[in-house]
Amino acid sequence: MGELRPGEGQQLAPSHTGRLRPSRNLQLLLLLWTLLSSRLESSAQGPGEWTPWGSWTRCSSSCGRGVSVRSRQCIRFPGEELCWGNTHEYRLCQLPDCPPRAVPFRDLQCALYNGRPVLGSQKTYQWVPFHGAPNQCDLNCLAEGHTFYHSFGRVLDGTPCSPGVEGLCVAGRCLSAGCDGLLGSDAREDRCGHCGGTNDSCLFVQRVFRDPGAFTGYWNVTLIPEGARHLQVIHRSRNHLALVAGDGRYVLNGNWAVNSPGTYEAAGTRVVYTRDAAGMQETLRATGPTSHDLLLQVLLQVPNPGIEFEFWLPRERYAPFQEKAQALGWSLQQPQALEVESQSPEPPADPATPPLTVTPTPGEVRWSCLGGRKQRRVACASHSLVPTDPCKPCPDTRGRAHRLLHYCGSDFVFRARVLGRRRQAQETSYEVRLLLIYKNRSPLRTLEYVWAPGRCPCPPLAPHREYLVAALRLVSPDGTQDRLLLPHSGYARPWSPAEDSRVRLAARHCPV
Protein backbone atom coordinates (compact mmCIF):
# COMPACT_ATOMS: atom_id res chain seq x y z
CA MET A 1 0.00 0.00 0.00
CA GLY A 2 1.33 3.49 -0.94
CA GLU A 3 2.27 6.12 1.65
CA LEU A 4 -0.40 8.57 2.65
CA ARG A 5 0.45 12.22 1.87
CA PRO A 6 -1.04 15.18 3.70
CA GLY A 7 -4.39 16.12 2.25
CA GLU A 8 -4.68 12.95 0.15
CA GLY A 9 -5.62 10.40 2.76
CA GLN A 10 -8.15 10.13 5.50
CA GLN A 11 -8.17 12.34 8.53
CA LEU A 12 -7.93 9.45 11.00
CA ALA A 13 -5.15 6.86 10.92
CA PRO A 14 -5.03 3.53 12.81
CA SER A 15 -2.78 3.45 15.85
CA HIS A 16 -0.62 0.55 16.92
CA THR A 17 -3.35 -0.43 19.40
CA GLY A 18 -5.88 -0.73 16.66
CA ARG A 19 -7.75 2.43 17.61
CA LEU A 20 -8.08 5.41 15.34
CA ARG A 21 -5.79 8.40 16.20
CA PRO A 22 -5.94 11.95 14.76
CA SER A 23 -3.67 12.81 11.90
CA ARG A 24 -0.93 15.47 12.40
CA ASN A 25 -2.95 18.20 10.64
CA LEU A 26 -5.92 17.58 12.86
CA GLN A 27 -3.70 17.64 15.95
CA LEU A 28 -2.44 21.08 14.97
CA LEU A 29 -5.99 22.33 14.46
CA LEU A 30 -7.03 21.02 17.86
CA LEU A 31 -4.02 22.66 19.51
CA LEU A 32 -4.78 26.00 17.82
CA TRP A 33 -8.40 25.81 18.90
CA THR A 34 -7.36 25.06 22.50
CA LEU A 35 -5.02 28.06 22.59
CA LEU A 36 -7.64 30.30 21.01
CA SER A 37 -10.32 29.19 23.45
CA SER A 38 -8.08 29.76 26.46
CA ARG A 39 -7.21 33.23 25.19
CA LEU A 40 -10.86 34.13 24.74
CA GLU A 41 -11.75 32.86 28.21
CA SER A 42 -8.91 34.72 29.96
CA SER A 43 -8.65 38.47 30.24
CA ALA A 44 -6.73 39.80 27.25
CA GLN A 45 -3.52 41.75 27.82
CA GLY A 46 -2.50 44.73 25.73
CA PRO A 47 -4.04 46.26 22.64
CA GLY A 48 -5.03 44.68 19.34
CA GLU A 49 -3.01 44.75 16.16
CA TRP A 50 -3.24 47.05 13.14
CA THR A 51 -3.65 45.89 9.59
CA PRO A 52 -1.16 47.34 7.08
CA TRP A 53 -1.86 50.87 5.85
CA GLY A 54 -3.99 51.15 2.75
CA SER A 55 -3.12 53.20 -0.32
CA TRP A 56 -3.18 57.00 -0.33
CA THR A 57 -6.29 58.53 -1.86
CA ARG A 58 -6.22 61.12 -4.60
CA CYS A 59 -5.59 64.71 -3.58
CA SER A 60 -8.68 66.49 -2.27
CA SER A 61 -7.93 69.51 -4.46
CA SER A 62 -7.52 69.88 -8.20
CA CYS A 63 -4.96 72.67 -7.83
CA GLY A 64 -2.81 74.17 -5.10
CA ARG A 65 -2.58 72.42 -1.75
CA GLY A 66 -4.81 69.58 -0.68
CA VAL A 67 -5.03 66.49 1.50
CA SER A 68 -4.53 62.80 0.79
CA VAL A 69 -5.59 60.15 3.30
CA ARG A 70 -4.93 56.49 4.00
CA SER A 71 -6.49 54.24 6.63
CA ARG A 72 -6.02 50.97 8.50
CA GLN A 73 -8.14 48.75 10.73
CA CYS A 74 -7.67 47.48 14.26
CA ILE A 75 -7.97 43.70 14.64
CA ARG A 76 -8.61 42.67 18.23
CA PHE A 77 -10.11 39.78 20.17
CA PRO A 78 -13.02 40.31 22.56
CA GLY A 79 -11.74 41.88 25.74
CA GLU A 80 -8.63 43.35 24.18
CA GLU A 81 -7.95 47.05 24.29
CA LEU A 82 -8.20 49.29 21.27
CA CYS A 83 -5.08 49.61 19.14
CA TRP A 84 -2.75 52.46 19.98
CA GLY A 85 -2.59 55.06 17.25
CA ASN A 86 -4.84 56.56 14.59
CA THR A 87 -7.03 54.84 12.06
CA HIS A 88 -6.37 57.56 9.47
CA GLU A 89 -3.24 59.38 8.40
CA TYR A 90 -3.27 62.58 6.36
CA ARG A 91 -0.54 64.07 4.25
CA LEU A 92 -0.15 67.29 2.34
CA CYS A 93 -0.33 67.08 -1.44
CA GLN A 94 0.91 69.95 -3.55
CA LEU A 95 -0.46 70.44 -7.06
CA PRO A 96 0.28 73.24 -9.53
CA ASP A 97 -0.95 76.63 -8.35
CA CYS A 98 -4.55 77.50 -9.04
CA PRO A 99 -5.29 80.07 -11.76
CA PRO A 100 -5.33 83.68 -10.51
CA ARG A 101 -9.11 84.00 -10.81
CA ALA A 102 -9.96 80.58 -9.35
CA VAL A 103 -12.70 80.60 -6.69
CA PRO A 104 -11.28 79.63 -3.26
CA PHE A 105 -12.28 76.23 -1.86
CA ARG A 106 -14.21 77.63 1.12
CA ASP A 107 -16.13 80.04 -1.14
CA LEU A 108 -17.26 77.12 -3.28
CA GLN A 109 -18.57 75.27 -0.22
CA CYS A 110 -20.57 78.28 0.99
CA ALA A 111 -21.93 78.84 -2.52
CA LEU A 112 -23.49 75.35 -2.47
CA TYR A 113 -26.17 76.76 -0.14
CA ASN A 114 -27.05 79.76 -2.29
CA GLY A 115 -30.78 79.93 -3.02
CA ARG A 116 -31.57 77.11 -0.62
CA PRO A 117 -33.90 77.65 2.37
CA VAL A 118 -32.20 77.46 5.75
CA LEU A 119 -32.98 78.37 9.37
CA GLY A 120 -36.42 76.73 9.23
CA SER A 121 -37.93 79.21 6.78
CA GLN A 122 -38.35 79.47 3.04
CA LYS A 123 -36.18 82.53 2.85
CA THR A 124 -32.99 82.12 0.84
CA TYR A 125 -29.66 83.92 0.91
CA GLN A 126 -26.38 84.26 -0.90
CA TRP A 127 -23.53 83.01 1.26
CA VAL A 128 -19.87 84.04 1.52
CA PRO A 129 -17.20 82.78 3.96
CA PHE A 130 -17.10 84.30 7.44
CA HIS A 131 -13.70 84.09 9.24
CA GLY A 132 -14.62 85.64 12.59
CA ALA A 133 -16.21 82.54 14.14
CA PRO A 134 -14.44 80.63 16.97
CA ASN A 135 -13.87 77.34 15.08
CA GLN A 136 -12.12 78.11 11.82
CA CYS A 137 -12.69 74.57 10.54
CA ASP A 138 -16.49 74.93 10.59
CA LEU A 139 -18.16 76.07 7.38
CA ASN A 140 -19.19 79.47 8.72
CA CYS A 141 -20.92 81.49 6.02
CA LEU A 142 -22.18 85.08 6.14
CA ALA A 143 -25.48 86.00 4.51
CA GLU A 144 -24.68 88.76 2.03
CA GLY A 145 -26.40 92.02 2.92
CA HIS A 146 -27.15 90.81 6.45
CA THR A 147 -25.38 90.86 9.80
CA PHE A 148 -25.58 87.17 10.71
CA TYR A 149 -23.72 84.04 9.73
CA HIS A 150 -24.64 80.36 9.82
CA SER A 151 -22.50 77.26 10.42
CA PHE A 152 -23.20 74.44 7.97
CA GLY A 153 -21.04 71.88 9.79
CA ARG A 154 -17.44 71.09 9.08
CA VAL A 155 -15.55 72.21 6.02
CA LEU A 156 -14.25 69.53 3.68
CA ASP A 157 -10.83 68.08 4.46
CA GLY A 158 -8.08 70.08 2.82
CA THR A 159 -9.75 73.47 3.24
CA PRO A 160 -7.31 76.19 4.38
CA CYS A 161 -7.98 77.11 8.00
CA SER A 162 -8.02 80.83 7.19
CA PRO A 163 -6.44 83.17 4.66
CA GLY A 164 -2.68 83.47 5.06
CA VAL A 165 -2.41 80.46 7.40
CA GLU A 166 -0.38 77.38 6.44
CA GLY A 167 -2.65 74.92 8.26
CA LEU A 168 -5.37 72.83 6.60
CA CYS A 169 -8.59 71.55 8.13
CA VAL A 170 -8.77 67.79 8.68
CA ALA A 171 -11.71 66.17 10.50
CA GLY A 172 -12.63 69.55 11.98
CA ARG A 173 -9.14 70.40 13.24
CA CYS A 174 -6.59 72.83 11.88
CA LEU A 175 -3.36 70.90 11.31
CA SER A 176 0.02 71.91 9.98
CA ALA A 177 2.30 69.55 8.11
CA GLY A 178 5.61 68.37 9.52
CA CYS A 179 8.70 68.13 7.36
CA ASP A 180 7.61 64.57 6.49
CA GLY A 181 4.50 65.99 4.81
CA LEU A 182 2.12 64.41 7.34
CA LEU A 183 -0.51 66.74 8.79
CA GLY A 184 -0.34 66.90 12.57
CA SER A 185 3.18 65.48 12.57
CA ASP A 186 5.76 67.03 14.90
CA ALA A 187 8.67 66.05 12.65
CA ARG A 188 10.96 69.04 12.09
CA GLU A 189 14.10 69.66 10.12
CA ASP A 190 17.30 69.71 12.12
CA ARG A 191 19.92 72.44 11.66
CA CYS A 192 21.43 70.42 8.82
CA GLY A 193 18.17 70.44 6.83
CA HIS A 194 17.37 66.75 7.40
CA CYS A 195 13.83 65.84 8.42
CA GLY A 196 13.86 64.34 11.89
CA GLY A 197 17.66 64.52 12.00
CA THR A 198 19.89 64.97 15.04
CA ASN A 199 22.34 67.62 13.75
CA ASP A 200 25.02 64.96 13.23
CA SER A 201 25.62 65.54 9.52
CA CYS A 202 26.81 69.14 9.81
CA LEU A 203 29.13 71.32 11.86
CA PHE A 204 28.29 74.40 13.88
CA VAL A 205 30.73 77.20 13.08
CA GLN A 206 30.72 80.06 15.60
CA ARG A 207 33.38 82.76 15.56
CA VAL A 208 34.18 86.33 16.53
CA PHE A 209 36.04 88.80 14.28
CA ARG A 210 38.04 91.06 16.59
CA ASP A 211 40.44 92.97 14.34
CA PRO A 212 40.19 96.59 15.55
CA GLY A 213 40.93 97.98 12.08
CA ALA A 214 43.70 100.40 11.20
CA PHE A 215 41.70 102.72 8.94
CA THR A 216 38.19 103.56 7.78
CA GLY A 217 36.95 101.33 4.98
CA TYR A 218 35.82 97.82 4.05
CA TRP A 219 37.40 94.88 5.87
CA ASN A 220 36.86 91.21 5.13
CA VAL A 221 35.21 89.37 8.02
CA THR A 222 34.62 85.84 6.73
CA LEU A 223 33.62 83.72 3.79
CA ILE A 224 30.08 82.35 4.05
CA PRO A 225 30.40 79.11 2.08
CA GLU A 226 27.94 77.43 -0.23
CA GLY A 227 25.54 75.21 1.72
CA ALA A 228 25.56 77.34 4.89
CA ARG A 229 22.33 77.24 6.93
CA HIS A 230 20.91 79.31 9.77
CA LEU A 231 23.33 82.17 9.32
CA GLN A 232 23.38 84.83 12.03
CA VAL A 233 25.67 87.87 12.27
CA ILE A 234 25.48 90.51 14.99
CA HIS A 235 27.58 93.46 16.13
CA ARG A 236 27.06 96.48 18.36
CA SER A 237 28.77 99.60 17.03
CA ARG A 238 28.37 102.39 14.52
CA ASN A 239 30.03 100.28 11.84
CA HIS A 240 27.97 98.62 9.10
CA LEU A 241 27.86 95.05 7.82
CA ALA A 242 28.26 94.51 4.08
CA LEU A 243 27.57 91.48 1.92
CA VAL A 244 29.25 90.67 -1.40
CA ALA A 245 27.86 88.14 -3.90
CA GLY A 246 29.99 85.61 -5.78
CA ASP A 247 30.22 87.88 -8.84
CA GLY A 248 31.76 90.68 -6.76
CA ARG A 249 28.66 92.86 -6.61
CA TYR A 250 27.44 94.18 -3.29
CA VAL A 251 24.15 92.82 -2.03
CA LEU A 252 24.07 95.08 1.02
CA ASN A 253 25.75 98.32 2.13
CA GLY A 254 28.25 98.51 -0.72
CA ASN A 255 30.02 101.44 -2.37
CA TRP A 256 29.96 103.55 0.82
CA ALA A 257 26.16 103.60 0.86
CA VAL A 258 24.03 102.20 3.70
CA ASN A 259 20.83 100.39 2.74
CA SER A 260 17.58 100.42 4.67
CA PRO A 261 16.72 97.45 6.90
CA GLY A 262 14.71 94.81 5.10
CA THR A 263 14.88 91.48 3.29
CA TYR A 264 17.42 90.97 0.50
CA GLU A 265 17.83 88.08 -1.94
CA ALA A 266 21.33 86.61 -1.93
CA ALA A 267 22.78 83.21 -2.92
CA GLY A 268 19.37 81.58 -3.24
CA THR A 269 18.15 82.60 0.20
CA ARG A 270 16.57 85.59 1.92
CA VAL A 271 18.80 87.66 4.15
CA VAL A 272 16.97 89.71 6.81
CA TYR A 273 18.91 92.88 7.68
CA THR A 274 17.96 94.78 10.84
CA ARG A 275 19.33 97.91 12.51
CA ASP A 276 18.02 99.45 15.70
CA ALA A 277 16.77 103.03 15.87
CA ALA A 278 19.95 104.27 17.54
CA GLY A 279 22.09 102.69 14.82
CA MET A 280 24.17 100.86 17.43
CA GLN A 281 23.27 97.25 16.58
CA GLU A 282 22.97 95.42 13.26
CA THR A 283 22.03 91.82 12.52
CA LEU A 284 21.96 89.57 9.47
CA ARG A 285 19.90 86.38 9.49
CA ALA A 286 19.27 83.82 6.74
CA THR A 287 17.77 80.34 6.84
CA GLY A 288 19.68 79.08 3.79
CA PRO A 289 21.07 76.95 2.39
CA THR A 290 23.21 79.32 0.35
CA SER A 291 23.56 78.34 -3.29
CA HIS A 292 27.03 79.87 -3.65
CA ASP A 293 29.72 81.59 -1.59
CA LEU A 294 29.15 85.02 -0.04
CA LEU A 295 31.70 87.38 1.44
CA LEU A 296 30.86 89.14 4.69
CA GLN A 297 32.57 92.50 5.19
CA VAL A 298 32.34 95.36 7.64
CA LEU A 299 32.51 99.06 6.77
CA LEU A 300 34.60 100.37 9.65
CA GLN A 301 34.04 103.90 10.91
CA VAL A 302 35.03 103.33 14.54
CA PRO A 303 37.26 100.65 16.10
CA ASN A 304 35.69 97.21 15.83
CA PRO A 305 34.45 95.88 19.22
CA GLY A 306 33.79 92.41 17.75
CA ILE A 307 31.52 90.85 15.13
CA GLU A 308 29.88 87.57 16.11
CA PHE A 309 28.80 85.21 13.35
CA GLU A 310 27.66 81.62 13.17
CA PHE A 311 26.24 79.13 10.68
CA TRP A 312 25.80 75.39 10.16
CA LEU A 313 27.72 73.67 7.40
CA PRO A 314 27.63 70.10 5.97
CA ARG A 315 30.63 68.13 7.11
CA GLU A 316 31.85 67.47 3.59
CA ARG A 317 31.98 71.22 2.89
CA TYR A 318 34.01 72.14 5.95
CA ALA A 319 37.48 71.35 4.53
CA PRO A 320 36.82 73.25 1.24
CA PHE A 321 35.56 76.17 3.33
CA GLN A 322 38.81 76.23 5.30
CA GLU A 323 40.87 76.19 2.09
CA LYS A 324 38.86 78.98 0.47
CA ALA A 325 38.93 81.13 3.59
CA GLN A 326 42.68 80.65 3.86
CA ALA A 327 43.25 81.42 0.17
CA LEU A 328 40.95 84.45 0.30
CA GLY A 329 43.42 86.49 2.34
CA TRP A 330 42.87 90.22 2.24
CA SER A 331 41.51 92.10 -0.74
CA LEU A 332 43.23 95.01 -2.46
CA GLN A 333 40.84 97.41 -0.74
CA GLN A 334 42.75 97.02 2.54
CA PRO A 335 46.35 96.47 3.60
CA GLN A 336 47.35 93.38 5.50
CA ALA A 337 47.63 94.70 9.04
CA LEU A 338 49.68 91.77 10.32
CA GLU A 339 51.82 89.25 8.52
CA VAL A 340 51.41 85.77 9.93
CA GLU A 341 52.73 82.55 8.51
CA SER A 342 50.43 79.66 9.19
CA GLN A 343 51.83 76.59 10.86
CA SER A 344 52.23 73.61 8.57
CA PRO A 345 49.15 71.49 9.10
CA GLU A 346 49.48 68.30 11.07
CA PRO A 347 47.54 65.20 10.06
CA PRO A 348 44.37 64.92 12.15
CA ALA A 349 44.10 62.18 14.71
CA ASP A 350 40.78 61.06 13.26
CA PRO A 351 40.41 61.22 9.45
CA ALA A 352 36.63 61.09 9.80
CA THR A 353 36.61 64.55 11.39
CA PRO A 354 38.11 67.85 10.24
CA PRO A 355 41.38 68.82 11.94
CA LEU A 356 41.09 70.98 15.00
CA THR A 357 43.76 73.42 13.80
CA VAL A 358 42.24 76.24 11.77
CA THR A 359 44.26 78.98 10.07
CA PRO A 360 42.38 82.20 10.84
CA THR A 361 42.64 85.53 9.17
CA PRO A 362 44.57 88.20 11.14
CA GLY A 363 42.90 89.32 14.33
CA GLU A 364 40.19 86.67 14.19
CA VAL A 365 39.46 84.37 17.10
CA ARG A 366 37.67 81.21 15.98
CA TRP A 367 36.04 78.19 17.45
CA SER A 368 33.97 75.40 15.95
CA CYS A 369 31.76 72.72 17.42
CA LEU A 370 31.61 69.23 15.98
CA GLY A 371 28.13 67.90 16.64
CA GLY A 372 26.67 64.44 16.41
CA ARG A 373 26.68 61.26 18.43
CA LYS A 374 29.81 59.88 16.81
CA GLN A 375 31.82 63.02 17.54
CA ARG A 376 31.01 63.62 21.18
CA ARG A 377 34.68 63.35 22.10
CA VAL A 378 35.40 66.52 20.05
CA ALA A 379 33.15 69.31 21.28
CA CYS A 380 34.18 72.95 21.10
CA ALA A 381 37.77 73.98 20.60
CA SER A 382 39.11 77.52 20.44
CA HIS A 383 41.57 78.40 17.71
CA SER A 384 43.77 81.45 17.49
CA LEU A 385 46.81 82.58 15.57
CA VAL A 386 49.78 80.22 15.76
CA PRO A 387 53.04 82.22 15.80
CA THR A 388 55.88 81.27 13.50
CA ASP A 389 58.21 81.10 16.51
CA PRO A 390 56.79 78.17 18.54
CA CYS A 391 58.05 79.62 21.81
CA LYS A 392 56.61 83.10 21.55
CA PRO A 393 54.20 84.19 24.29
CA CYS A 394 50.75 82.66 24.13
CA PRO A 395 47.74 84.84 23.32
CA ASP A 396 45.68 86.16 26.19
CA THR A 397 42.70 83.84 26.72
CA ARG A 398 41.32 85.25 29.95
CA GLY A 399 37.68 86.11 30.43
CA ARG A 400 34.31 84.67 31.34
CA ALA A 401 33.37 83.86 27.73
CA HIS A 402 36.51 81.76 27.25
CA ARG A 403 35.90 79.91 30.52
CA LEU A 404 32.27 79.13 29.66
CA LEU A 405 33.16 78.06 26.12
CA HIS A 406 35.69 75.49 27.25
CA TYR A 407 33.77 74.32 30.29
CA CYS A 408 30.66 73.66 28.21
CA GLY A 409 32.53 72.09 25.30
CA SER A 410 34.97 69.93 27.25
CA ASP A 411 34.65 66.30 28.30
CA PHE A 412 36.63 66.76 31.52
CA VAL A 413 37.28 69.62 33.95
CA PHE A 414 39.56 68.87 36.88
CA ARG A 415 42.11 70.22 39.32
CA ALA A 416 45.48 68.52 38.89
CA ARG A 417 49.11 68.76 39.97
CA VAL A 418 51.68 68.48 37.16
CA LEU A 419 54.23 65.77 38.01
CA GLY A 420 56.28 65.87 34.84
CA ARG A 421 56.50 67.11 31.26
CA ARG A 422 57.83 65.47 28.10
CA ARG A 423 58.35 67.44 24.91
CA GLN A 424 58.36 65.78 21.51
CA ALA A 425 58.51 67.03 17.92
CA GLN A 426 54.78 67.49 17.42
CA GLU A 427 53.29 67.28 20.90
CA THR A 428 53.86 67.65 24.63
CA SER A 429 52.64 65.25 27.28
CA TYR A 430 52.07 66.08 30.94
CA GLU A 431 51.84 63.52 33.72
CA VAL A 432 49.29 64.82 36.21
CA ARG A 433 47.77 63.75 39.51
CA LEU A 434 44.04 64.48 39.74
CA LEU A 435 43.03 66.22 42.96
CA LEU A 436 39.41 67.24 42.25
CA ILE A 437 37.04 66.46 39.36
CA TYR A 438 34.41 69.05 38.41
CA LYS A 439 33.15 67.35 35.24
CA ASN A 440 33.82 63.99 33.59
CA ARG A 441 31.99 62.06 30.85
CA SER A 442 33.94 58.84 31.49
CA PRO A 443 35.95 57.49 34.44
CA LEU A 444 39.33 59.06 35.22
CA ARG A 445 42.28 57.58 37.11
CA THR A 446 44.27 59.31 39.80
CA LEU A 447 47.31 59.49 37.51
CA GLU A 448 46.64 60.57 33.93
CA TYR A 449 48.51 61.94 30.93
CA VAL A 450 47.33 65.14 29.23
CA TRP A 451 48.52 65.70 25.66
CA ALA A 452 48.91 69.11 24.01
CA PRO A 453 49.79 69.92 20.38
CA GLY A 454 53.27 71.30 19.64
CA ARG A 455 56.54 71.46 21.57
CA CYS A 456 55.51 74.75 23.16
CA PRO A 457 51.77 74.39 23.77
CA CYS A 458 49.49 77.21 24.77
CA PRO A 459 48.81 77.50 27.61
CA PRO A 460 51.96 75.87 29.07
CA LEU A 461 51.83 73.83 32.28
CA ALA A 462 54.74 74.09 34.68
CA PRO A 463 55.84 71.01 36.66
CA HIS A 464 55.05 70.89 40.39
CA ARG A 465 52.20 73.38 40.07
CA GLU A 466 48.44 72.93 40.34
CA TYR A 467 46.02 73.90 37.54
CA LEU A 468 42.35 73.90 36.65
CA VAL A 469 42.23 72.13 33.26
CA ALA A 470 39.46 71.59 30.68
CA ALA A 471 40.29 68.67 28.38
CA LEU A 472 38.75 66.76 25.48
CA ARG A 473 38.69 63.03 24.94
CA LEU A 474 40.41 61.99 21.71
CA VAL A 475 40.17 58.37 20.54
CA SER A 476 42.15 57.13 17.55
CA PRO A 477 40.19 55.53 14.65
CA ASP A 478 41.49 52.04 15.47
CA GLY A 479 40.71 52.47 19.16
CA THR A 480 44.31 51.89 20.27
CA GLN A 481 44.73 55.39 21.76
CA ASP A 482 42.40 57.10 24.20
CA ARG A 483 43.87 60.46 25.22
CA LEU A 484 43.06 63.56 27.20
CA LEU A 485 43.69 66.51 24.88
CA LEU A 486 44.43 70.07 25.98
CA PRO A 487 43.60 72.04 22.79
CA HIS A 488 45.66 74.99 21.64
CA SER A 489 44.53 78.17 23.46
CA GLY A 490 42.45 75.95 25.69
CA TYR A 491 41.59 76.39 29.35
CA ALA A 492 44.34 75.77 31.92
CA ARG A 493 44.60 78.24 34.80
CA PRO A 494 46.76 78.10 37.93
CA TRP A 495 44.53 76.91 40.74
CA SER A 496 43.36 79.41 43.32
CA PRO A 497 40.25 79.75 45.49
CA ALA A 498 39.03 82.51 43.15
CA GLU A 499 39.45 80.27 40.08
CA ASP A 500 37.67 77.46 41.91
CA SER A 501 34.68 79.77 42.53
CA ARG A 502 34.62 80.87 38.89
CA VAL A 503 34.62 77.28 37.63
CA ARG A 504 31.80 76.29 39.98
CA LEU A 505 29.82 79.27 38.71
CA ALA A 506 30.42 78.18 35.10
CA ALA A 507 29.05 74.74 35.96
CA ARG A 508 25.64 76.29 36.63
CA HIS A 509 25.44 77.50 33.02
CA CYS A 510 26.68 74.26 31.41
CA PRO A 511 25.01 70.91 32.07
CA VAL A 512 27.46 68.17 32.96
Side-chain angles (χ1 to χ4, degrees):
M1 182 172 69
E3 180 183 358
L4 284 177
R5 299 181 180 179
E8 294 182 352
Q10 51 200 4
Q11 295 296 324
L12 296 177
S15 66
H16 68 280
T17 59
R19 292 179 303 204
L20 294 179
R21 60 181 176 83
S23 67
R24 183 174 180 81
N25 288 347
L26 186 56
Q27 287 177 340
L28 293 174
L29 290 174
L30 291 174
L31 177 61
L32 180 61
W33 173 255
T34 301
L35 293 174
L36 182 60
S37 299
S38 63
R39 184 173 183 179
L40 291 176
E41 292 173 0
S42 63
S43 59
Q45 300 294 327
E49 295 184 0
W50 289 108
T51 62
W53 284 106
S55 301
W56 290 101
T57 63
R58 296 181 60 182
C59 192
S60 61
S61 177
S62 58
C63 62
R65 297 191 309 154
V67 170
S68 182
V69 61
R70 65 177 181 178
S71 60
R72 58 182 177 177
Q73 293 182 341
C74 178
I75 305 299
R76 62 192 182 101
F77 291 101
E80 278 188 329
E81 299 177 8
L82 291 174
C83 300
W84 298 337
N86 298 320
T87 57
H88 293 78
E89 198 170 57
Y90 302 86
R91 72 176 180 185
L92 184 69
C93 47
Q94 185 70 49
L95 299 176
D97 292 339
C98 298
R101 297 184 179 180
V103 180
F105 196 22
R106 190 182 290 262
D107 294 58
L108 288 175
Q109 297 174 61
C110 284
L112 292 176
Y113 296 93
N114 289 344
R116 297 172 55 181
V118 293
L119 306 177
S121 67
Q122 296 301 314
K123 197 170 184 179
T124 61
Y125 304 92
Q126 300 294 309
W127 301 97
V128 294
F130 176 69
H131 297 287
N135 191 346
Q136 53 189 348
C137 286
D138 284 345
L139 184 57
N140 303 304
C141 303
L142 178 70
E144 282 190 312
H146 299 79
T147 58
F148 66 89
Y149 73 93
H150 183 68
S151 178
F152 292 97
R154 293 177 177 176
V155 296
L156 296 178
D157 289 346
T159 303
C161 301
S162 60
V165 175
E166 289 294 324
L168 297 179
C169 291
V170 173
R173 294 186 302 155
C174 183
L175 301 178
S176 297
C179 60
D180 53 5
L182 297 180
L183 290 166
S185 168
D186 58 357
R188 296 293 180 264
E189 283 190 353
D190 66 358
R191 309 303 283 181
C192 311
H194 294 166
C195 185
T198 56
N199 300 330
D200 56 358
S201 63
C202 60
L203 304 179
F204 180 49
V205 180
Q206 187 180 40
R207 303 177 180 174
V208 181
F209 178 78
R210 295 194 184 278
D211 197 306
F215 65 95
T216 300
Y218 287 93
W219 289 72
N220 292 338
V221 176
T222 186
L223 182 75
I224 301 171
E226 177 184 353
R229 291 176 178 270
H230 303 287
L231 167 70
Q232 178 172 287
V233 186
I234 184 170
H235 79 103
R236 299 169 183 86
S237 70
R238 296 191 180 277
N239 300 321
H240 297 288
L241 301 171
L243 206 57
V244 185
D247 56 4
R249 293 185 297 178
Y250 278 96
V251 177
L252 180 69
N253 293 345
N255 304 316
W256 300 89
V258 179
N259 297 105
S260 301
T263 302
Y264 296 82
E265 298 287 338
T269 188
R270 293 183 176 182
V271 180
V272 179
Y273 169 54
T274 64
R275 184 172 62 244
D276 65 5
M280 291 298 295
Q281 176 172 307
E282 285 185 332
T283 62
L284 291 180
R285 290 184 175 87
T287 303
T290 52
S291 58
H292 58 261
D293 295 345
L294 292 170
L295 178 61
L296 177 66
Q297 293 185 336
V298 59
L299 175 56
L300 287 180
Q301 303 179 94
V302 297
N304 170 37
I307 299 174
E308 304 171 15
F309 60 91
E310 62 184 48
F311 53 83
W312 293 77
L313 191 64
R315 288 183 177 274
E316 64 274 10
R317 294 186 183 273
Y318 187 72
F321 159 61
Q322 285 182 293
E323 295 175 1
K324 289 181 179 180
Q326 183 175 351
L328 176 66
W330 297 91
S331 70
L332 297 177
Q333 300 180 30
Q334 56 193 36
Q336 187 164 337
L338 181 65
E339 292 185 5
V340 177
E341 295 181 10
S342 62
Q343 186 182 29
S344 57
E346 302 175 12
D350 187 348
T353 63
L356 285 179
T357 302
V358 180
T359 304
T361 53
E364 183 177 350
V365 177
R366 303 184 172 189
W367 63 88
S368 58
C369 302
L370 307 186
R373 299 175 182 174
K374 297 182 179 179
Q375 307 299 337
R376 284 178 294 187
R377 62 180 180 273
V378 183
C380 296
S382 176
H383 312 289
S384 61
L385 296 178
V386 180
T388 56
D389 182 356
C391 292
K392 283 185 176 180
C394 296
D396 186 4
T397 56
R398 292 174 296 178
R400 179 175 178 270
H402 186 264
R403 184 186 308 108
L404 286 175
L405 170 69
H406 284 280
Y407 193 101
C408 297
S410 65
D411 297 311
F412 308 96
V413 179
F414 50 81
R415 173 186 173 188
R417 181 176 181 83
V418 179
L419 303 180
R421 175 180 61 194
R422 181 182 179 186
R423 293 180 173 178
Q424 301 176 4
Q426 299 295 336
E427 58 189 356
T428 300
S429 64
Y430 299 97
E431 184 180 8
V432 300
R433 179 186 299 276
L434 271 60
L435 304 176
L436 179 63
I437 298 174
Y438 298 88
K439 173 183 179 182
N440 63 310
R441 293 181 176 173
S442 59
L444 291 172
R445 298 169 298 182
T446 302
L447 294 179
E448 291 280 1
Y449 282 92
V450 177
W451 299 81
R455 289 189 68 253
C456 298
C458 289
L461 304 183
H464 314 300
R465 295 193 62 184
E466 294 182 10
Y467 292 89
L468 285 175
V469 180
L472 302 174
R473 185 184 183 196
L474 190 63
V475 182
S476 62
D478 56 5
T480 58
Q481 290 185 342
D482 190 347
R483 292 179 165 186
L484 298 182
L485 173 68
L486 174 60
H488 185 78
S489 297
Y491 179 84
R493 306 280 177 79
W495 185 88
S496 68
E499 285 296 331
D500 176 83
S501 300
R502 296 186 186 106
V503 167
R504 294 182 185 276
L505 183 60
R508 302 177 185 177
H509 300 277
C510 303
V512 178

